Amino acid sequence: MPKSSKVTQREHSNEHVTESVADLLALEAPMDYKSSQMSMNMAGGGPPPIGKPDISPDLEDGRPAWNSKLEYILAQVGFSVGLGNVWRFPYLCQKNGGGAYLVPYFILLILIGIPLFFLELAVGQRIRRGSIGVWNYVYPRLGGIGVSSLMVCGFVGLYYNVIIGWSIFYFFQSFQYPLPWSDCPIRRNGSQAIVEPECEKSSATTYFWYRETLNITSTIADSGGLNWRMTLSLLAAWIIVCLAVIKGIQSSGKVMYFSSLFPYVVLFCFLVRGMFLKGAVDGIAHMFTPKLEIMLEPQVWREAATQVFFALGLGFGGVIAFSSYNKRDNNCHFDAVLVSIINFVTSILATLVVFAVLGFKANVMNEKCVVENAEKILGYLNSNVLSQDLIPPHVNFSHLTVSDYAEMYGVIKIVKEDSFAQLGLEPCLLEDELNKAGAVQGTGLAFIAFTEAMTHFPASPFWSVMFFFMLINLGLGSMIGTMTGITTPILDTFKIRKEVLTVGCCIVAFLCGLLFVQRSGNYFVTMFDDYSAGLPLTIVVILENISVAWIYGTKRQANSLTMLVKFMQDLEDMLGFRPSSIYFYLWKYVSPVCLIILISATVVEMAISPPGYNAWVQDLATERFQSYPPWALTMCFALIIVAMLPLPLVFIARHFNWIPDGSNKLSVSYRKSLAKEASNLEDETRFILGKNPSEAPSPMPSHRAYLGPGSTSPVELITNSTSISGYGSGYQTNPAPPKSES
């Protein structure tokens, strides 16, 4: 038996039965001495063990469990790997120094990403509750952390599923050839056919996005009514999410096998196909050409920290909820490192795919630029504006290359220096096109830039179907985690059927989501994305960090152990080994400092950046920045306040004892396990006290003691249900030495 196992630890302890009380209060399964091998082999004979089946701790507390470790890992990967890996990370990488951006990103992943991800996995697995129950247990006055997480999950889920709805619409539109966004629509004006002016001024893919898909208004104040096609797409998205999570992890775990793995199949297919496209290497080289001078700018580190923070899904409660269904001895440290590395590698893979395709698009657009400007030069030659002597003799206009045009452009620019600007010629540099392509992020990348590139693919409908099916699966994996972060805390707190709760949440969310499928809905998506999650989530995570590093165990400790040392010991008991001491310093000092800097930088950016949105101006066929009207600005800050309001309210209410500490809001399954374990504890106590001290099994070592002097006996403490006011606040006992029963 390994040295770190609970049975072996009990063999070397100088404590007694009160340790199992601590185990029960700390949500650990107490050791059943009557059925243990140690009791059966005890010297001196003793009474024979009472025959009871060995019940798994996960079955004892009635909490559902993952069918396999693979399902759990896929669920965490599906939650953390989302749309941001495809359309946010490549943009930040290109913007902030190319390959040099990977250096600060990786450093911050090590300093704050993996430690905080490990922390959330550990507390969820240790306490086996959702986000509300976990933080009520750790420190009831900060129980608002879980409520704020739930609020943010709700806000994010509302608009995130709208993006899945857009992807569903594009998915079904992809089953036609040519693709509907490949060409501008033609309008008939009598006998004359003209190209749609709005499309001609922008592009076919841009027109299809803003006009055919969103049918967007020019301001946020003009709702324009519901867009019925987007409304149906949103309804389909919520039906899919509901079916995926209606049975809890029993249904979502099965869905994860496909939704988490299929995106990798598509990404590899796109990467292989993209590498054979002309210009793909140019795009990747542009992507990873390091700009070391940019790497030293503070803005780069702030954006890298923000991306690390959101890429792992910290603070949403989904990570905690998923891990709460694990076995108590699961190696969550390995899970944290594995999922973080998979997330990082996925971001790199998606970046390679995106810039291979965008490099192809940049080459196509650059060649188009060369053809258009060559036609201008031919016109100037025919009208004698330019002399034929300016054209190098080897240039052939019927087979004009990019290098030939660049040479011709340079000669004309030097000779016609005074009147060159009037000619309206463009340099047609590939670098400029790559910068334009790389500057696109978010919906612009997925629904405009990428769709335009795919129109030039052979068999373009196939690749379009694959791409948007991938986006649907990426979004679905994240939505399953988001919904789990909402439903698990509620199910842990209230007696309600998970099917009823899931359907009810999806119906309410769909009705609230109608805000985003108005013709002006895209502006509200931008608003919620900018204001509902960023600052509140960062504050939630720093409070999580402080709760564990500076508060955890303050009322349950003995021997004057520091709070974080107590948590490290609990991790050792749970994992079977002691995590590296580097986590002690990261959790206690490094991560809080990094998060404080990130919060400060976020507040400063919000203060200096004018709040507004990019409105689509139909007459100009372009986007233009507009400030939010007063009512919309009020709505922006209301999102932040509502998300963070539970933090001070719960703290004040529990400080003055206006509301109970929340830890008595146990799930029905946990109430049953309390009664069962209390009964077992009485038998256990009588059995142990009936032996001589030399024959009794030794409990845990002294450093594991959670209880101190000044409480009642452990049996009274557990069996008296009215005395259990909070398993998060702990109890203190000072038991007398074991005596034989008379």
Side-chain angles (χ1 to χ4, degrees):
M1 183 175 292
K3 293 280 186 186
S4 58
S5 69
K6 288 185 173 61
V7 175
T8 306
Q9 287 173 343
R10 291 180 183 276
E11 286 180 329
H12 296 87
S13 173
N14 55 11
E15 297 290 336
H16 21 73
V17 68
T18 55
E19 179 55 30
S20 58
V21 179
D23 281 351
L24 178 59
L25 294 177
L27 301 186
E28 288 187 357
M31 180 65 195
D32 189 352
Y33 295 108
K34 300 180 292 301
S35 60
S36 68
Q37 179 182 1
M38 186 167 52
S39 297
M40 291 187 290
N41 295 334
M42 193 69 61
I50 300 173
K52 283 189 178 182
D54 187 15
I55 302 175
S56 164
D58 303 300
L59 297 177
E60 281 186 357
D61 70 7
R63 192 171 186 82
W66 295 100
N67 292 326
S68 68
K69 179 65 174 285
L70 180 60
E71 276 190 12
Y72 166 68
I73 294 296
L74 290 178
Q76 292 287 15
V77 169
F79 179 50
S80 66
V81 175
L83 299 174
N85 296 76
V86 176
W87 66 32
R88 176 71 175 166
F89 186 89
Y91 162 74
L92 290 176
C93 199
Q94 189 274 341
K95 173 188 174 185
N96 295 315
Y101 172 75
L102 300 179
V103 176
Y105 183 89
F106 188 75
I107 291 174
L108 292 170
L109 179 66
I110 299 298
L111 291 181
I112 63 174
I114 294 178
L116 293 178
F117 191 59
F118 177 32
L119 184 144
E120 288 202 357
L121 291 179
V123 295
Q125 181 175 312
R126 167 83 172 123
I127 302 172
R128 298 177 62 77
R129 301 289 303 281
S131 56
I132 294 178
V134 160
W135 304 113
N136 280 338
Y137 170 86
V138 172
Y139 189 56
R141 291 184 183 179
L142 289 181
I145 294 175
V147 184
S148 287
S149 292
L150 191 148
M151 297 290 294
V152 173
C153 273
F155 288 148
V156 172
L158 288 178
Y159 76 84
Y160 202 89
N161 219 25
V162 175
I163 301 174
I164 299 179
W166 294 340
S167 302
I168 291 173
F169 175 76
Y170 267 81
F171 172 76
F172 285 106
Q173 291 291 317
S174 300
F175 288 95
Q176 44 188 309
Y177 185 82
L179 291 171
W181 52 81
S182 58
D183 297 301
C184 286
I186 304 297
R187 291 192 174 183
R188 294 280 178 182
N189 187 6
S191 59
Q192 187 179 10
I194 59 173
V195 178
E196 173 63 43
E198 185 180 0
C199 182
E200 191 173 25
K201 292 177 184 177
S202 54
S203 68
T205 52
T206 304
Y207 176 83
F208 187 87
W209 168 243
Y210 283 112
R211 191 55 52 212
E212 297 292 337
T213 303
L214 302 178
N215 194 19
I216 200 165
T217 59
S218 296
T219 65
I220 194 173
D222 180 14
S223 71
L226 288 178
N227 182 335
W228 68 269
R229 290 189 291 185
M230 292 302 101
T231 303
L232 292 178
S233 299
L234 179 63
L235 177 61
W238 276 113
I239 290 175
I240 294 172
V241 170
C242 184
L243 293 176
V245 301
I246 193 167
K247 293 293 185 181
I249 62 172
Q250 302 304 320
S251 59
S252 61
K254 301 296 186 295
V255 174
M256 285 298 181
Y257 278 110
F258 185 81
S259 64
S260 296
L261 295 176
F262 179 75
Y264 291 96
V265 175
V266 177
L267 286 174
F268 276 112
C269 290
F270 263 99
L271 181 60
V272 173
R273 181 66 187 90
M275 294 305 295
F276 288 99
L277 295 172
K278 181 181 179 181
V281 176
D282 295 328
I284 294 176
H286 175 78
M287 173 70 243
F288 288 102
T289 300
K291 305 176 182 67
L292 297 178
E293 68 281 359
I294 300 179
M295 187 182 71
L296 301 178
E297 297 178 2
Q299 178 75 4
V300 175
W301 289 81
R302 188 192 71 81
E303 293 190 341
T306 303
Q307 180 62 20
V308 167
F309 185 79
F310 288 106
L312 295 174
L314 300 175
F316 283 94
V319 172
I320 293 175
F322 279 151
S323 65
S324 72
Y325 299 114
N326 271 332
K327 296 179 180 179
R328 290 186 179 93
D329 60 351
N330 175 63
N331 188 348
C332 56
H333 176 259
F334 172 80
D335 300 340
V337 176
L338 177 63
V339 174
S340 299
I341 292 175
I342 290 175
N343 188 289
F344 179 64
V345 172
T346 304
S347 297
I348 300 296
L349 175 62
T351 300
L352 290 171
V353 172
V354 167
F355 274 86
V357 174
L358 293 183
F360 166 71
K361 180 199 170 187
N363 269 268
V364 171
M365 299 306 295
N366 196 52
E367 290 176 355
K368 182 179 178 181
C369 174
V370 168
V371 171
E372 291 176 352
N373 283 271
E375 291 177 354
K376 288 183 182 180
I377 293 175
L378 279 174
Y380 293 145
L381 291 174
N382 293 333
S383 60
N384 295 323
V385 174
L386 293 177
S387 171
Q388 187 68 39
D389 296 337
L390 298 178
I391 308 301
H394 64 275
V395 171
N396 184 353
F397 279 91
S398 60
H399 297 87
L400 189 63
T401 64
V402 175
S403 59
D404 288 343
Y405 174 77
E407 182 180 357
M408 184 169 54
Y409 176 86
V411 173
I412 296 174
K413 184 176 182 180
I414 293 174
V415 175
K416 295 288 186 178
E417 183 178 359
D418 297 334
S419 59
F420 181 77
Q422 300 174 1
L423 297 177
L425 298 178
E426 299 178 15
C428 296
L429 298 176
L430 181 62
E431 184 73 15
D432 294 341
E433 295 294 340
L434 288 170
N435 286 331
K436 291 179 186 177
V440 183
Q441 63 161 324
T443 55
L445 174 64
F447 298 106
I448 298 177
F450 225 80
T451 52
E452 184 173 350
M454 284 187 292
T455 59
H456 302 287
F457 278 28
S460 55
F462 169 78
W463 294 104
S464 183
V465 167
M466 294 283 284
F467 176 72
F468 288 109
F469 196 38
M470 178 190 72
L471 290 188
I472 293 171
N473 280 276
L474 284 173
L476 181 60
S478 297
M479 275 302 300
I480 289 175
T482 301
M483 288 297 295
T484 305
I486 296 172
T487 58
T488 297
I490 298 176
L491 291 171
D492 285 343
T493 308
F494 302 102
K495 182 179 180 181
I496 184 172
R497 287 185 60 188
K498 68 178 65 172
E499 294 86 353
V500 175
L501 175 63
T502 301
V503 173
C505 287
C506 291
I507 291 174
V508 172
F510 169 72
L511 295 176
C512 294
L514 295 178
L515 172 70
F516 305 103
V517 291
Q518 304 175 99
R519 290 180 57 198
S520 61
N522 188 49
Y523 304 139
F524 290 99
V525 170
T526 303
M527 176 194 293
F528 272 64
D529 190 36
D530 290 341
Y531 290 93
S532 69
L535 185 60
L537 271 185
T538 314
I539 293 176
V540 162
V541 173
I542 193 173
L543 290 177
E544 290 180 356
N545 193 169
I546 292 173
S547 297
V548 172
W550 296 88
I551 299 175
Y552 181 92
T554 51
K555 294 185 179 181
R556 293 185 297 278
Q557 66 179 8
N559 302 334
S560 303
L561 296 174
T562 64
M563 287 68 79
L564 192 50
V565 169
K566 173 68 177 64
F567 182 66
M568 296 291 285
Q569 290 177 352
D570 286 353
L571 284 181
E572 182 178 1
D573 297 336
M574 184 172 67
L575 301 177
F577 64 90
R578 191 172 186 84
S580 171
S581 59
I582 190 66
Y583 286 107
F584 179 92
Y585 300 101
L586 290 175
W587 284 330
K588 199 169 186 69
Y589 305 111
V590 178
S591 296
V593 170
C594 291
L595 289 171
I596 290 172
I597 295 173
L598 180 58
I599 290 174
S600 303
T602 302
V603 172
V604 169
E605 184 189 21
M606 292 176 62
I608 63 177
S609 299
Y613 62 102
N614 290 320
W616 178 256
V617 182
Q618 183 174 359
D619 296 336
L620 302 177
T622 188
E623 287 185 333
R624 184 172 59 191
F625 181 82
Q626 291 188 12
S627 298
Y628 284 118
W631 64 267
L633 194 60
T634 303
M635 188 174 178
C636 292
F637 291 106
L639 291 173
I640 299 176
I641 294 173
V642 169
M644 294 193 300
L645 197 58
L647 297 170
L649 287 183
V650 172
F651 185 90
I652 294 171
R654 286 181 175 158
H655 178 74
F656 292 102
N657 296 319
W658 293 341
I659 59 174
D661 64 9
S663 57
N664 61 334
K665 297 289 187 179
L666 302 176
S667 63
V668 175
S669 62
Y670 192 72
R671 291 178 190 272
K672 293 179 180 178
S673 72
L674 277 179
K676 181 184 295 183
E677 293 186 3
S679 176
N680 291 342
L681 184 60
E682 293 184 57
D683 295 338
E684 174 184 311
T685 306
R686 286 194 294 268
F687 173 65
I688 296 176
L689 297 181
K691 286 183 172 289
N692 294 325
S694 61
E695 295 175 336
S698 299
M700 305 281 295
S702 59
H703 76 269
R704 286 267 294 127
Y706 299 93
L707 309 180
S711 185
T712 57
S713 69
V715 176
E716 292 175 349
L717 186 63
I718 298 301
T719 56
N720 185 1
S721 60
T722 59
S723 69
I724 303 179
S725 62
Y727 64 87
S729 51
Y731 298 87
Q732 295 182 337
T733 63
N734 189 16
K739 296 181 180 179
S740 300
E741 288 181 346
S742 57

